[in-house]
Amino acid sequence: QVENGVTYTWVFDGGGTQKGGTTSYNFQEDGSYQVTMRARVDATGCECTKTKMVVMSRGAAQDLENSGITMFPNPSTGSFSIALTESFGTEVTVEIMSMTGAVLSSSTVSNTGLISMEAGNLSDGVYVVRVSNGNQVATRRLTIRK
């Protein structure tokens, strides 16, 4: 949430800085980047920072915009993330299935917009990830390569 009387500065890994309460940045290449937000209270000079890793994937961003869901990295070594829009609601069920439809794992999680998943116990191969909220279902193929 943007506060009055606070100066925000955004620092992009390899890309300079921008000022403002919100920002957007077009990284030139797909990959992982570090982004730092600095918030300085104008009246006191008190400053705090928050740094996060962001992933730029044009294909994943297009998928998210078109369908409300995307999954990355894919192929994965076992850890992957699912990005969801608010249209999926506040709670979703995530199932990882074999290509024959056998459910290998199932969990119900909060839709925070980005869900971290761990499938390191799976062998190399292709799987189906199904995300559902009772009314809406989306499936994506996931390739595991270790």
Side-chain angles (χ1 to χ4, degrees):
Q1 177 177 334
V2 177
E3 299 287 334
N4 290 329
V6 177
T7 300
Y8 296 91
T9 304
W10 300 83
V11 181
F12 301 95
D13 188 14
T17 63
Q18 291 182 8
K19 292 200 181 284
T22 61
T23 190
S24 64
Y25 187 80
N26 184 11
F27 293 101
Q28 296 302 306
E29 296 181 19
D30 288 357
S32 296
Y33 297 91
Q34 196 170 21
V35 177
T36 300
M37 186 270 308
R38 292 187 190 130
R40 183 180 179 275
V41 178
D42 298 334
T44 64
C46 182
E47 184 175 288
C48 63
T49 62
K50 182 76 172 182
T51 300
K52 292 205 170 206
M53 291 299 293
V54 297
V55 176
M56 175 58 184
S57 171
R58 283 167 178 74
Q62 187 68 39
D63 193 25
L64 182 63
E65 183 177 323
N66 291 340
S67 65
I69 183 172
T70 193
M71 195 169 56
F72 59 90
N74 194 9
S76 168
T77 58
S79 297
F80 63 96
S81 296
I82 301 169
L84 295 170
T85 61
E86 292 175 354
S87 67
F88 273 85
T90 58
E91 193 173 81
V92 294
T93 299
V94 179
E95 296 172 301
I96 301 175
M97 303 179 298
S98 69
M99 291 302 289
T100 61
V103 176
L104 305 173
S105 74
S106 178
S107 56
T108 300
V109 297
S110 295
N111 178 6
T112 59
L114 187 63
I115 301 167
S116 297
M117 299 296 298
E118 188 58 50
N121 60 327
L122 297 177
S123 303
D124 286 8
V126 179
Y127 299 88
V128 174
V129 176
R130 180 170 54 193
V131 179
S132 61
N133 65 5
N135 299 321
Q136 193 172 4
V137 176
T139 58
R140 295 291 181 273
R141 288 184 185 212
L142 172 67
T143 301
I144 300 289
R145 283 192 208 140
K146 297 178 184 172

